[in-house]
Amino acid sequence: MIQIQPRAISQRTVAALMDAGIHPLLARLYAARGIRARNELDYGLRALLPPDALTGTREAAVLLADAIEAGARMVIVADYDCDGATACAVGIRALRTFGADVHYLVPDRVTLGYGLTPAMVEIAARLEPDLLITVDNGIASVEGIAAARAHGMATLITDHHLPGDELPEADVIVNPNQPGCDFPSKCLAGVGAMFYTMLALRAELRERGAFENGREPNLGDLLDLVALGTVADVVKLDHNNRILVSQGLQRMRAGRMQPGIRALFAAAGRDPARASGFDLGFALGPRLNAAGRLSDMSLGIECLITDDPGRALNIAQELDKLNRERRSIEAEMQEEAAARLEGFDAEGSASIALFEPDWHQGVIGIVAGRVKEKLHRPTVAFARGNEGELKGSGRSIPGLHLRDALDLVTKRHPDLIVRFGGHAMAAGLTIREADYPRFREAFEEIVSGLLEPADLQRRIETDGALETGYLSLDSARLLDQEIWGQGFPAPVFNDVFRVERQRLLKDRHLKLELGKQGSRYEAVRFNHADGAPDTIHAAFRLAVNEYNGVSSVQLMLEHFEAA
């Protein structure tokens, strides 16, 4: 069962926001998301938290500035997802602008796995770097940093993942989640940590007089990359992250973006002049991620760092092809997962663990996410990794911090998990294939102990009913211009409608015409082939539908039930 649950709203706060000049509809939505004053909606760069508030940025700036002055060779070791790729691109573009000799590497997901491993250090050593820099990884790379130091490399970690019990002995660590860091935005993405490091470096170079004879580089030109990585990594959009995303989207809409970002919009068939968080999370991000899932994320990074529009478009088209292949593989894996779960008693279980011998490592995270969405249970999907090992990718539900849950598993069963890491809502791990049955039991034991029965009841939080006057194209466009995402969810409304007409599209999607108070509205529910009753209580989003050059409002149904 799914409960439609309207969010609590303080009418006093709504009134205060309206008095401050906020649009009435937006005032209501913002109040429901915890906004209390207009300054929390100030997305100007002046409102951004200062770089020196982030522990390690000053030391990193000195380390990098000294390396640039010495002509030292730098190598960035990136992660193979969108956040890692954009963080790498920010580093490459900024450092080269500052005159650095900088190169990059990204590990192969299948053969090397995540992070700065000793094996990755051996590969990096072939480039003879003086300074090794990690982006979106490194905080758990105790052995990797030790190997780099043994090679005589200086090391700088920029990361945002939660640290383990032991920190690597790097020269400098920039991570808002490291012990002793008071940076208020703990939700900074990996690309955000790298952007802040580059801001600090520019300030250090400015103090050293590096720009006296030339124009100072405008790092704001990199905010399109920062916005993409932040949204795609599904980090919480607190005020600081909303500033970064807003600034990036503004630049995209104004046509100021990297050739690779423009090319990704073209490959996805989206218009950058109307760029939204949805475009970043569901159109550009998946295409960039496809390189790391099925091929080599170097392809994605090259798309983001090239200044040649033609080359960028060629790479974006290749990424689009990989994304279509990823969808095909995912569809097959979804069918297999559905078959495995036939007869599964969701009510009698608090968690789900799945494994198929032929599943692709690069797609298991997506499969775990789909299963989690369907059954509302923390889910881990496994694929075969190195000899005798399984690589797992997990997705969680509100109420369960997935990394902490895996940490508890290791404490109660010390020999069970080979390695793990991640966030509250997503994590990765490695186990021995022979231990898969043990893991399922241990994971269920931990999860069932941490979650209350109410946590296992799926709820759709909505913003209540929407006045008929706001069921309009203007309202849909107004909402499209705002910043929504993880922790600051896009508006979902609920209301009762008459079903005037319905039909199937491509045998998969339900197309409806809904009636209310004499007006009719086009609606669609994707991947839902079952018909609707005569009257429905629906949870829906407002969207702009473009067809044959004509724009109209469309209701995107998240859920409906008989009313």
Side-chain angles (χ1 to χ4, degrees):
M1 291 292 293
I2 297 176
Q3 294 180 353
I4 296 176
Q5 181 175 312
R7 295 184 175 92
I9 304 175
S10 165
Q11 293 303 325
R12 179 179 296 180
T13 302
V14 174
L17 292 173
M18 289 173 59
D19 289 344
I22 305 296
H23 186 286
L25 175 57
L26 294 179
R28 166 181 154 193
L29 299 173
Y30 286 144
R33 285 152 182 78
I35 299 298
R36 295 291 176 264
R38 188 184 182 110
N39 64 355
E40 296 176 70
L41 302 170
D42 179 1
Y43 296 154
L45 285 175
R46 289 174 300 178
L48 201 65
L49 293 168
D52 58 9
L54 180 58
T55 298
T57 52
R58 288 181 179 178
E59 295 82 357
V62 171
L63 178 68
L64 291 165
D66 287 347
I68 291 171
E69 289 179 355
R73 170 169 288 201
M74 308 179 194
V75 171
I76 294 175
V77 177
D79 186 19
Y80 39 63
D81 67 357
C82 186
D83 188 18
T86 52
C88 183
V90 165
I92 291 289
R93 285 188 169 278
L95 287 167
R96 286 180 178 170
T97 300
F98 295 145
D101 175 13
V102 59
H103 309 266
Y104 76 88
L105 292 169
V106 57
D108 179 88
R109 178 190 292 265
V110 175
T111 60
L112 290 169
Y114 171 77
L116 184 68
T117 60
M120 193 67 206
V121 171
E122 292 304 317
I123 294 173
R126 299 170 192 166
L127 297 177
E128 300 181 347
D130 301 293
L131 173 59
L132 204 59
I133 305 166
T134 70
V135 292
D136 194 32
N137 75 94
I139 197 63
S141 301
V142 175
E143 295 177 353
I145 291 294
R149 292 171 65 90
H151 276 279
M153 305 173 196
T155 52
L156 165 61
I157 292 172
T158 70
D159 200 354
H160 69 125
H161 293 92
L162 296 172
D165 295 333
E166 180 183 0
L167 288 180
E169 293 186 3
D171 289 83
V172 183
I173 298 176
V174 178
N175 183 336
N177 291 301
Q178 67 177 302
C181 182
D182 297 325
F183 192 66
S185 179
K186 299 297 183 183
C187 312
L188 204 63
V191 67
M194 190 54 170
F195 181 68
Y196 263 84
T197 303
M198 294 300 99
L199 289 175
L201 173 58
R202 184 180 63 180
E204 175 67 21
L205 292 172
R206 183 189 301 133
E207 287 185 11
R208 298 187 184 197
F211 309 125
E212 289 178 355
N213 298 321
R215 179 172 168 268
E216 182 172 305
N218 181 7
L219 295 183
D221 291 341
L222 304 177
L223 282 163
D224 56 343
L225 296 168
V226 179
L228 174 56
T230 299
V231 172
D233 211 45
V234 203
V235 294
K236 181 181 179 182
L237 293 190
D238 60 8
H239 185 212
N240 206 62
N241 278 339
R242 294 201 305 277
I243 294 172
L244 295 172
V245 173
S246 175
Q247 289 291 325
L249 286 173
Q250 286 179 40
R251 284 163 171 75
M252 294 175 199
R253 292 166 185 163
R256 295 166 52 197
M257 68 198 92
Q258 316 303 324
I261 297 289
R262 186 183 299 279
L264 287 168
F265 269 104
R270 312 292 292 189
D271 181 4
R274 293 204 300 253
S276 68
F278 183 88
D279 292 325
L280 304 187
F282 295 94
L284 276 65
R287 284 167 172 79
L288 203 56
N289 272 327
R293 294 188 186 282
L294 300 186
S295 180
D296 180 354
M297 186 46 97
S298 296
L299 190 66
I301 294 171
E302 286 299 315
C303 183
L304 299 179
I305 65 175
T306 182
D307 290 321
D308 182 341
R311 182 166 186 258
L313 187 57
N314 287 338
I315 297 174
Q317 290 169 343
E318 180 64 24
L319 293 172
D320 185 62
K321 180 181 176 182
L322 284 171
N323 193 49
R324 290 196 299 272
E325 182 183 346
R326 185 271 303 171
R327 286 177 179 168
S328 176
I329 293 171
E330 178 196 338
E332 291 181 13
M333 291 168 62
Q334 290 280 43
E335 289 181 8
E336 291 173 354
R340 286 285 305 275
L341 290 168
E342 273 189 25
F344 174 75
D345 179 17
E347 296 300 317
S349 301
S351 68
I352 298 170
L354 298 167
F355 163 59
E356 289 292 337
D358 58 349
W359 277 0
H360 194 293
Q361 280 188 41
V363 187
I364 50 175
I366 298 175
V367 171
R370 303 279 193 228
V371 173
K372 181 265 297 185
E373 287 297 322
K374 183 176 181 180
L375 297 179
H376 196 67
R377 295 291 185 274
T379 301
V380 181
F382 288 95
R384 280 194 168 127
N386 297 329
E387 185 68 29
E389 289 185 342
L390 299 183
K391 295 287 184 68
S393 187
R395 299 294 182 268
S396 193
I397 63 175
L400 182 86
H401 192 297
L402 187 53
R403 187 201 172 278
D404 287 355
L406 294 175
D407 189 44
L408 272 177
V409 172
T410 63
K411 285 180 168 59
R412 293 190 189 177
H413 307 273
D415 63 335
L416 185 53
I417 297 179
V418 177
R419 67 189 69 90
F420 73 97
H423 303 287
M425 304 305 288
L429 68 154
T430 299
I431 65 173
R432 287 170 288 274
E433 184 168 344
D435 286 335
Y436 171 65
R438 283 182 62 213
F439 174 82
R440 290 183 63 180
E441 293 178 6
F443 188 55
E444 173 66 20
E445 172 194 352
I446 295 298
V447 172
S448 60
L450 293 173
L451 290 177
E452 298 293 333
D455 295 324
L456 299 173
Q457 173 67 58
R458 186 182 172 200
R459 298 176 181 84
I460 296 180
E461 285 193 314
T462 78
D463 294 286
L466 191 59
E467 296 87 340
T468 304
Y470 286 139
L471 283 165
S472 67
L473 183 60
D474 286 343
S475 295
R477 285 177 168 159
L478 175 70
L479 298 182
D480 265 356
Q481 292 296 304
E482 299 302 306
I483 307 302
W484 313 109
Q486 180 69 22
F488 205 76
V492 175
F493 306 98
N494 68 279
D495 212 333
V496 175
F497 298 93
R498 294 186 317 278
V499 177
E500 307 288 354
R501 191 175 303 165
Q502 57 182 302
R503 61 188 175 90
L504 277 181
L505 301 176
K506 300 180 180 179
D507 297 323
R508 294 176 55 206
H509 314 302
L510 188 61
K511 178 81 171 177
L512 307 99
E513 187 176 297
L514 304 179
K516 180 177 174 62
Q517 296 179 357
S519 298
R520 294 199 173 190
Y521 307 97
E522 294 294 318
V524 64
R525 185 172 182 188
F526 288 114
N527 299 309
H528 186 91
D530 297 334
D534 293 339
T535 305
I536 60 172
H537 182 204
F540 63 92
R541 293 183 292 108
L542 283 187
V544 178
N545 184 40
E546 305 277 357
Y547 186 71
N548 286 341
V550 177
S551 300
S552 61
V553 66
Q554 186 173 59
L555 311 188
M556 311 296 288
L557 303 184
E558 302 278 325
H559 172 73
F560 63 75
E561 56 196 30

